[in-house]
Amino acid sequence: MSTPSLAFTDLGSGRPLVLLHAFPLNRRMWEPQFAALAKDFRLIAPDYPGMGESPLSPTPYSLESLADSIMALLKSMDISEKVSLLGLSMGGYLAFEVARKYPGRLNALILAATHPAPDSEQGRQARQETAEMARKEGLEPLADRMLPRLLGKTTRDTHPELVGKVRAQIISNSKEGVAQASLAMAERRDSIPLLPQIQIPTLLLSGTEDPIIPGMPPEAVQQQIPVSAWTVIERSGHLLNLEQPGQFNRHVGEFLSRV
Ligand code: MLT
């Protein structure tokens, strides 16, 4: 396993907030947060290997090695203070890895549209098929298949321009980068046993129109993390930060101002 170097955005000033993007997007998905949160926080948003502007990993990577790369990135930026982590979906899976391996480096967690369970056997099989589809057919069919699940009905009905924007972002990634990310998610660990050990303030965010997050519902996650709050974002599908940026930014800002 390698620890690849990562392209990133470093914007704003204040306490560091690391933004971990969803699959199969890249760090440009955080544009509404760059605009709203950089006045209060130093935002650090990496691209995963082969997505956005990060080079492909020469070998398959795991979420654990990607967590190492995130910490190596912070070190290379001379950031030694504790950071807050905001991970959406795959970004949340990665945030669990960081919380497991580097608990002393974190002061707060925001877990958006994500969950701690590993994939089922069937889920892993579907990730393999996604990786194969990306490699063989490219990203357009994958984007078209995923978009109705990534964006909620309200967004699809009322913001067609956002559908086009997310599609363009997906197909701008490299095919192999998307395949590798899919396989890294398939191999991720079960983070349910980690939950009671998370001792930092944690905010859970979920959308009322999100069909993607199966398994343990946020209520159950909330009960197992000792210090946590759960907020539901109305009229949002999976990509909460893009679909309801006003509500999303307000919840994140208010939560971080209290920790
Ligand atoms: C994501 O948004 O990161 C993915 O949909 C997560 C997943 O497929 O489990």
Side-chain angles (χ1 to χ4, degrees), residues 15-135:
R15 287 184 291 149
L17 171 61
V18 180
L19 306 173
L20 301 175
H21 66 77
F23 172 90
L25 285 87
N26 59 50
R27 74 188 199 270
R28 290 208 318 273
M29 75 169 234
W30 297 116
E31 272 163 14
Q33 285 64 53
F34 294 156
L37 297 173
K39 60 180 179 6
D40 295 319
F41 301 99
R42 179 175 181 184
L43 303 176
I44 299 140
D47 279 330
Y48 309 151
M51 300 172 96
E53 294 173 312
S54 284
L56 260 182
S57 171
T59 55
Y61 67 87
S62 64
L63 292 187
E64 184 182 350
S65 70
L66 190 49
D68 293 338
S69 302
I70 304 286
M71 297 320 288
L73 171 65
L74 295 179
K75 190 160 184 227
S76 74
M77 298 169 78
D78 284 329
I79 296 179
S80 53
E81 68 200 284
K82 290 184 179 185
V83 300
S84 299
L85 267 191
L86 161 48
L88 192 141
S89 202
M90 177 181 176
Y93 307 157
L94 180 55
F96 283 125
E97 283 299 327
V98 178
R100 181 191 335 272
K101 213 165 165 185
Y102 302 96
R105 295 285 287 113
L106 303 182
N107 65 5
L109 261 183
I110 301 166
L111 300 168
T114 195
H115 66 115
D119 281 349
S120 62
E121 198 40 55
Q122 197 189 3
R124 271 196 286 275
Q125 182 61 37
R127 304 272 189 211
Q128 293 277 356
E129 285 162 16
T130 298
E132 251 165 64
M133 183 177 182
R135 284 174 175 146

Side-chain angles (χ1 to χ4, degrees), residues 32-258:
Q33 285 64 53
F34 294 156
L37 297 173
K39 60 180 179 6
D40 295 319
F41 301 99
R42 179 175 181 184
L43 303 176
I44 299 140
D47 279 330
Y48 309 151
M51 300 172 96
E53 294 173 312
S54 284
L56 260 182
S57 171
T59 55
Y61 67 87
S62 64
L63 292 187
E64 184 182 350
S65 70
L66 190 49
D68 293 338
S69 302
I70 304 286
M71 297 320 288
L73 171 65
L74 295 179
K75 190 160 184 227
S76 74
M77 298 169 78
D78 284 329
I79 296 179
S80 53
E81 68 200 284
K82 290 184 179 185
V83 300
S84 299
L85 267 191
L86 161 48
L88 192 141
S89 202
M90 177 181 176
Y93 307 157
L94 180 55
F96 283 125
E97 283 299 327
V98 178
R100 181 191 335 272
K101 213 165 165 185
Y102 302 96
R105 295 285 287 113
L106 303 182
N107 65 5
L109 261 183
I110 301 166
L111 300 168
T114 195
H115 66 115
D119 281 349
S120 62
E121 198 40 55
Q122 197 189 3
R124 271 196 286 275
Q125 182 61 37
R127 304 272 189 211
Q128 293 277 356
E129 285 162 16
T130 298
E132 251 165 64
M133 183 177 182
R135 284 174 175 146
K136 286 201 190 122
E137 296 172 38
L139 298 179
E140 299 202 4
L142 181 70
D144 291 333
R145 194 181 67 180
M146 288 190 73
L147 277 166
R149 289 170 52 75
L150 287 171
L151 294 167
K153 182 170 180 342
T154 302
T155 300
R156 283 181 281 123
D157 288 348
T158 58
H159 288 288
E161 77 294 346
L162 186 55
V163 182
K165 220 171 150 181
V166 172
R167 187 176 191 278
Q169 192 176 126
I170 292 173
I171 66 179
S172 74
N173 289 324
S174 88
K175 294 188 283 190
E176 184 56 25
V178 167
Q180 285 185 346
S182 184
L183 298 175
M185 286 193 290
E187 295 308 320
R188 73 184 187 281
R189 271 188 278 204
D190 181 359
S191 291
I192 294 173
L194 174 75
L195 298 180
Q197 294 162 35
I198 296 180
Q199 296 295 333
I200 51 176
T202 301
L203 173 66
L204 309 171
L205 294 171
S206 55
T208 51
E209 299 177 15
D210 179 359
I212 290 186
I213 294 306
M216 188 184 264
E219 303 92 306
V221 178
Q222 188 190 15
Q223 278 161 23
Q224 291 201 36
I225 303 179
V227 189
S228 69
W230 173 38
T231 299
V232 175
I233 298 191
E234 301 290 332
R235 294 178 298 285
S236 183
H238 189 60
L239 298 178
L240 305 164
N241 69 307
L242 287 168
E243 295 184 60
Q244 293 294 343
Q247 288 187 61
F248 185 90
N249 294 338
R250 184 166 50 78
H251 290 305
V252 169
E254 285 176 4
F255 169 71
L256 290 177
S257 71
R258 293 195 302 269

